Amino acid sequence: MSNFRFTALEKTLNRPIGIVVPPSLKVSDYYGSMTFNSQTMKEHLTDEAYKVVMSAIEKGTRIDRKITDQIASAMKAWALNRGVSHYTHWFHPLTGSTAEKHDAFIHPTGQGKAIEQFQGDSLIQQEPDASSFPSGGIRSTFEARGYTAWDPTSPAFILDNTLCIPTIFVSYTGDSLDYKTPLLKSMRALDTIAVEVCKYFDKNIDKVYPTLGWEQEYFLVDAALYAARPDMVLTGKTVFGHPSAKDQQLSDHYFGTIHNRALAFMQDLEIESHKLGIPLKTRHNEVAPSQFECAPVFEEVNIAVDHNQLLMHIMDVVARRHEFKVLLHEKPYAGINGSGKHNNWSLATNTGLNLLSPGKSASDNFRFIAILSNILKAVHTHEGLMRASVASEGNDLRLGAHEAPPAIISVFVGEQITATLEEIEKMPSRKALTSNNGNKDIILDIPKIPEILFDNTDRNRTSPFAFTGNKFEFRAVGSSANTAKPMFVLNTIMADQLNHFKQDVDKLLAEGMKKNDAIFNVTRRYIIESKNIRFEGNSYSDEWIKEAANRGLSNNRSTPEALEAFVSEKTIELFRKHQVMTEKELLARFDIKLEKYTKKIQIESRVIGDLATNHILPTAIHYQNRLIENARGLKEVLDSKTFVKLSRNQLNTIKDISNHISSIKDDVEMMTEARKEANLIEHVQQKAIAYKDEVKPYFEKIRYNVDKLEMLVDDELWPLPKYRELLFIK
Ligand code: ADP
Ligand code: MG
């Protein structure tokens, strides 16, 4: 045992848990060892095949059949060396999680013998029986075929002795049934136009790609306590629970010392992540007790999204080894902070430039302001769609709850940039400026943005979309979400905006204006036109809600309303124009999302009904009987005057319990009726709205009475672990 490095928990338990990494190994020794990355490919492929793959990754060129056979065979050899027996296409169906269907390499050759076989065909395409994945009617059940197709830009990896090949997932008719397909298409659209725009500034730029660095928040809860809470097991959250006397009031958890059990989990998670090439770098405690965050170094967006999906999966696996359960729900506990997933987004170029970095020179500044004005304009034009991109039943409980960004999308840029934008707004048009200057096409007088922006974002953690020095941080994303969705929305609205920008600038050029003048004029116009999206104040305040309404910004508090922006004419045209999604695909996704919303509320409603009826009410009645017996006994032993005096509180408690019991019973019955009625509605959106307006309101009411009972009933009898137990790791 001494040959291995032990985590704190292992030391406590005196046994190894999970994988064991020899103490002599540095992270760099095993980093990426479970991925078929470019270095591995270089070692395993011929020069020719390697070049073809790299070109496919970098330029999107095709890989021909001969080469795919070679790659498959190299992958197989690499994987067999690591004890792998199966392979699977790994994809992100619209359920929100990841899907796998494992096939063995084994291929019988007769006479009781077999060989391991994996050919190009199996690498590039699989046909999983896809009839049970949500398709929003795109795939009718008799034509249930769905195809997965290899995405060579995301490295294959080994998970649980299985070779996993990242793929897209499309229907027989070519419609996308996953998150990755629109993401890849949005990247292509953005790359094409962004390169054209970048040529105004630098002729060497011939690739632009979005980068994403996510920050994942989560809760840890002891696995045994979790198992004793049917609500958590079935819905991922608690539906009842009186607040713990102490929770996050003292802010003593935030950035505090990490509990050794949690730390052991994190260390193990990091080892697993690093083996898979997920560059986890940061870990810390979050605001609520037992709430944590981890974040990697940012990556190209497609890889970052895959890595986040993969991380959410391995978190769950690693947690089991530590007798924990990871909660990724946006609001697992009422009354304390929920969890989000901040998406740090930027644009990088093949020349190593971050387009959102205000540069050193005047020309870098000019480029930066031009790109920034396009982002402001894009978000302003499509704020409703941005909100829709993060809409989910869980996230509704967080957004606008005074602990997370509101359901109103606005942009925070900080004091210094605001000052610059205001200055530009006041400047005369560039044409006047340059002609004063001998009519030379030079950049002058653009207010300089300091090279080092002081990070004033910590002073405003309330903005849903904040500029943080050299990237934007989209903070309204839910902790359980597949980040592909907010990312393909952001990429697509940016692609569209840059298209407009190019047209607007080219129009002025055609009129004979100098290039920098044209760029300046369009930029200035965008800054002015998008002014209403900028907000530097407290986004959690009630004043902002009023102000935002005056500015005409949408405030869709619930998913069924927010999602409408996904199927508006504007959105349909946007995605059609950039060939990211067809109207049919958008409508299908709209239906899937709404159905998921309805089902989540339906499940939660059933869990509430079942728990109230089977756990809470019998316990309350049991305890009430004890009190009644006790009162009877007192009556026997006390004279009637003393009894009246002393039993008052006791009798009141009996009455209180009766009231709570009867309210709960009534509400559960009415909720069930409301559900029955809602179930009769065929129209998906109306059904979702009925669930929201007619079923969901009972949740709070029932909970109120249950939580009151929790305080009245003997602790020994209470059937569910309490918040004070769930929230503190022992
Ligand atoms: P913090 O917010 O904790 O101060 P940073 O702002 O440096 O830390 O980084 C937060 C997240 O932003 C990290 O996941 C990091 O990888 C990511 N990030 C940093 N630069 C970029 C970028 N250019 N593009 C995308 N994400 C980035
Ligand atoms: Mg940050």
Side-chain angles (χ1 to χ4, degrees):
M1 269 172 98
S2 58
N3 286 335
F4 296 108
R5 192 166 78 184
F6 283 96
T7 60
L9 182 66
E10 285 168 336
K11 281 184 195 140
T12 321
L13 297 173
N14 198 24
R15 63 178 167 85
I17 39 179
I19 49 118
V20 272
V21 171
S24 55
L25 286 191
K26 297 189 296 299
V27 175
S28 53
D29 292 332
Y30 56 85
Y31 188 85
S33 58
M34 291 306 211
T35 64
F36 197 67
N37 52 29
S38 53
Q39 194 195 326
T40 323
M41 282 196 264
K42 198 163 191 173
E43 285 160 20
H44 284 78
L45 295 174
T46 60
D47 278 355
E48 188 207 356
Y50 178 73
K51 274 192 200 128
V52 172
V53 183
M54 291 319 284
S55 155
I57 293 172
E58 280 154 19
K59 304 200 185 78
T61 49
R62 281 186 72 86
I63 303 179
D64 75 36
R65 276 304 272 281
K66 223 175 68 224
I67 303 284
T68 53
D69 274 339
Q70 209 193 109
I71 298 166
S73 144
M75 252 187 212
K76 183 188 72 181
W78 172 78
L80 287 177
N81 252 330
R82 284 161 179 72
V84 169
S85 56
H86 286 66
Y87 68 93
T88 182
H89 279 196
W90 183 83
F91 55 101
H92 314 323
L94 296 170
T95 48
S97 47
T98 49
E100 307 161 10
K101 178 194 154 219
H102 297 192
D103 279 315
F105 287 133
I106 203 78
H107 179 77
T109 51
Q111 293 160 347
K113 293 275 183 197
I115 53 162
E116 274 85 13
Q117 187 174 299
F118 182 56
Q119 286 168 336
D121 291 354
S122 314
L123 168 65
I124 54 178
Q125 193 175 304
Q126 241 186 356
E127 194 183 323
D129 173 18
S131 50
S132 295
F133 286 116
S135 68
I138 279 180
R139 242 174 330 99
S140 50
T141 16
F142 63 87
E143 184 46 276
R145 269 185 291 174
Y147 291 100
T148 52
W150 180 35
D151 166 19
T153 60
S154 183
F157 56 91
I158 296 171
L159 191 67
D160 302 330
N161 291 327
T162 304
L163 173 66
C164 300
I165 298 151
T167 58
I168 57 162
F169 180 41
V170 293
S171 75
Y172 178 62
T173 47
D175 299 301
S176 64
L177 298 169
D178 69 343
Y179 286 97
K180 193 190 259 287
T181 310
L183 179 67
L184 291 172
K185 288 181 172 177
S186 75
M187 289 169 68
R188 193 174 57 195
L190 180 57
D191 180 28
T192 311
I193 183 63
V195 165
E196 283 184 41
V197 166
C198 282
K199 297 272 187 214
Y200 289 143
F201 306 98
D202 181 352
K203 294 265 178 285
N204 295 319
I205 294 177
D206 52 30
K207 186 177 164 86
V208 173
Y209 58 95
T211 50
L212 165 65
W214 38 263
E215 302 166 57
Q216 177 74 54
E217 291 181 340
Y218 62 96
F219 279 88
L220 287 176
V221 61
D222 188 273
L225 295 176
Y226 169 87
R229 293 274 323 204
D231 50 349
M232 293 178 103
V233 174
L234 297 177
T235 68
K237 62 175 275 197
T238 53
V239 299
F240 303 139
H242 193 279
S244 166
K246 172 185 183 287
D247 47 49
Q248 64 186 40
Q249 307 93 322
L250 300 177
S251 302
D252 50 353
H253 192 253
Y254 193 49
F255 284 113
T257 312
I258 303 172
H259 189 289
N260 62 356
R261 248 187 96 188
L263 188 60
F265 158 79
M266 290 177 190
Q267 287 166 340
D268 216 0
L269 176 67
E270 282 161 9
I271 292 171
E272 291 291 11
S273 298
H274 291 154
K275 288 198 298 185
L276 288 162
I278 305 172
L280 276 194
K281 193 167 169 73
T282 309
R283 61 183 184 215
H284 62 80
N285 284 0
E286 262 301 326
V287 174
S290 295
Q291 191 187 25
F292 306 94
E293 179 183 298
C294 63
V297 176
F298 67 92
E299 298 173 283
E300 181 262 324
V301 66
N302 179 38
I303 307 225
V305 167
D306 277 358
H307 279 167
N308 182 244
Q309 286 299 111
L310 191 51
L311 177 99
M312 291 196 284
H313 172 77
I314 58 178
M315 273 178 127
D316 198 52
V317 176
V318 173
R320 274 165 220 245
R321 299 179 193 153
H322 291 261
E323 277 132 52
F324 275 135
K325 181 74 193 169
V326 169
L327 304 178
L328 291 172
H329 193 284
E330 281 75 17
K331 192 78 184 170
Y333 303 104
I336 56 171
N337 278 15
S339 302
K341 175 151 50 198
H342 295 176
N343 277 211
N344 295 273
W345 174 87
S346 190
L347 296 171
T349 69
N350 61 306
T351 56
L353 190 67
N354 175 354
L355 290 175
L356 292 185
S357 257
K360 291 188 181 75
S361 63
S363 61
D364 283 346
N365 250 313
F366 188 49
R367 185 235 331 126
F368 167 74
I369 291 287
I371 299 288
L372 181 77
S373 74
N374 274 284
I375 297 177
L376 293 171
K377 184 93 168 105
V379 177
H380 186 229
T381 311
H382 296 285
E383 43 94 25
L385 179 59
M386 292 265 292
R387 161 66 181 106
S389 77
V390 297
S392 74
E393 183 267 330
N395 217 16
D396 283 356
L397 301 168
R398 208 174 66 93
L399 299 184
H402 291 267
E403 51 145 301
I408 308 163
I409 299 293
S410 65
V411 185
F412 171 89
V413 291
E415 248 173 68
Q416 290 154 298
I417 292 185
T418 301
T420 307
L421 299 181
E422 280 169 1
E423 226 175 296
I424 292 176
E425 192 185 330
K426 285 190 214 114
M427 283 168 75
S429 87
R430 274 284 309 198
K431 198 154 185 218
L433 282 178
T434 36
S435 40
N436 287 347
N437 217 322
N439 210 15
K440 272 197 238 142
D441 191 25
I442 52 163
I443 297 160
L444 80 173
D445 290 345
I446 287 282
K448 178 123 173 56
I449 298 183
E451 218 177 290
I452 306 208
L453 291 166
F454 46 77
D455 189 8
N456 46 13
T457 49
D458 272 348
R459 275 194 270 143
N460 193 340
R461 291 244 128 228
T462 66
S463 175
F465 197 66
F467 183 69
T468 54
N470 58 6
K471 62 192 184 288
F472 272 96
E473 186 168 345
F474 193 9
R475 298 186 178 131
V477 185
S479 49
S480 68
N482 184 318
T483 55
K485 194 175 191 183
M487 290 298 103
F488 73 64
V489 164
L490 205 43
N491 295 341
T492 310
I493 65 174
M494 192 57 186
D496 192 55
Q497 181 49 48
L498 289 175
N499 251 299
H500 288 297
F501 180 70
K502 177 105 188 3
Q503 279 167 12
D504 290 343
V505 170
D506 286 353
K507 190 159 161 267
L508 294 181
L509 294 181
E511 288 167 11
M513 198 182 272
K514 297 274 184 206
K515 187 178 77 181
N516 286 334
D517 286 342
I519 294 173
F520 177 81
N521 280 334
V522 177
T523 299
R524 182 165 165 273
R525 174 155 70 79
Y526 288 173
I527 291 170
I528 296 168
E529 285 172 356
S530 65
K531 226 168 139 178
N532 273 345
I533 200 71
R534 276 191 274 136
F535 181 63
E536 300 286 304
N538 178 7
S539 302
Y540 295 1
S541 68
D542 293 334
E543 293 83 70
W544 170 231
I545 295 177
K546 287 189 210 119
E547 166 70 12
N550 286 338
R551 292 188 189 187
L553 301 177
S554 52
N555 182 9
N556 292 316
R557 297 289 296 267
S558 80
T559 296
E561 280 124 347
L563 285 177
E564 269 180 34
F566 234 92
V567 289
S568 69
E569 265 176 43
K570 188 162 79 175
T571 302
I572 290 172
E573 176 53 21
L574 169 81
F575 283 110
R576 188 203 58 76
K577 185 170 152 198
H578 299 287
Q579 296 179 13
V580 174
M581 267 192 283
T582 62
E583 179 171 3
K584 186 171 154 203
E585 288 170 325
L586 282 166
L587 290 171
R589 271 158 214 257
F590 179 62
D591 278 4
I592 292 169
K593 263 294 201 188
L594 286 168
E595 268 172 25
K596 189 167 172 190
Y597 176 87
T598 302
K599 283 179 187 158
K600 287 242 166 147
I601 296 183
Q602 185 180 52
I603 292 169
E604 189 171 333
S605 166
R606 286 178 179 164
V607 169
I608 289 172
D610 292 356
L611 272 185
T613 313
N614 295 329
H615 288 62
I616 309 299
L617 292 180
T619 308
I621 292 168
H622 185 64
Y623 181 62
Q624 195 189 30
N625 281 337
R626 270 209 214 161
L627 294 180
I628 293 170
E629 248 169 63
N630 178 261
R632 265 203 211 108
L634 284 177
K635 201 169 183 178
E636 262 172 40
V637 296
L638 299 173
D639 64 78
S640 61
K641 218 168 149 195
T642 323
F643 175 73
V644 170
K645 199 170 148 210
L646 293 184
S647 64
R648 198 170 40 103
N649 279 335
Q650 179 122 338
L651 296 179
N652 278 343
T653 307
I654 294 173
K655 272 190 225 151
D656 284 348
I657 293 180
S658 289
N659 283 332
H660 293 308
I661 289 177
S662 121
S663 298
I664 293 172
K665 267 197 156 152
D666 287 348
D667 285 339
V668 168
E669 254 171 48
M670 288 192 286
M671 177 174 75
T672 312
E673 278 311 307
R675 231 164 50 214
K676 279 187 194 155
E677 262 177 49
N679 287 343
L680 297 175
I681 304 173
E682 297 259 334
H683 188 275
V684 260
Q685 192 184 15
Q686 274 162 18
K687 189 169 178 168
I689 291 173
Y691 261 91
K692 170 175 80 72
D693 292 337
E694 310 300 333
V695 179
K696 209 162 174 253
Y698 286 105
F699 295 4
E700 276 296 306
K701 283 194 197 168
I702 297 171
R703 178 179 194 137
Y704 172 82
N705 288 297
V706 171
D707 291 356
K708 285 281 177 205
L709 284 175
E710 186 185 319
M711 282 295 105
L712 292 172
V713 172
D714 184 352
D715 184 57
E716 211 185 328
L717 297 177
W718 196 250
L720 301 170
K722 296 183 172 175
Y723 269 29
R724 61 165 185 260
E725 294 158 309
L726 296 167
L727 281 174
F728 297 94
I729 296 171
K730 310 284 179 323

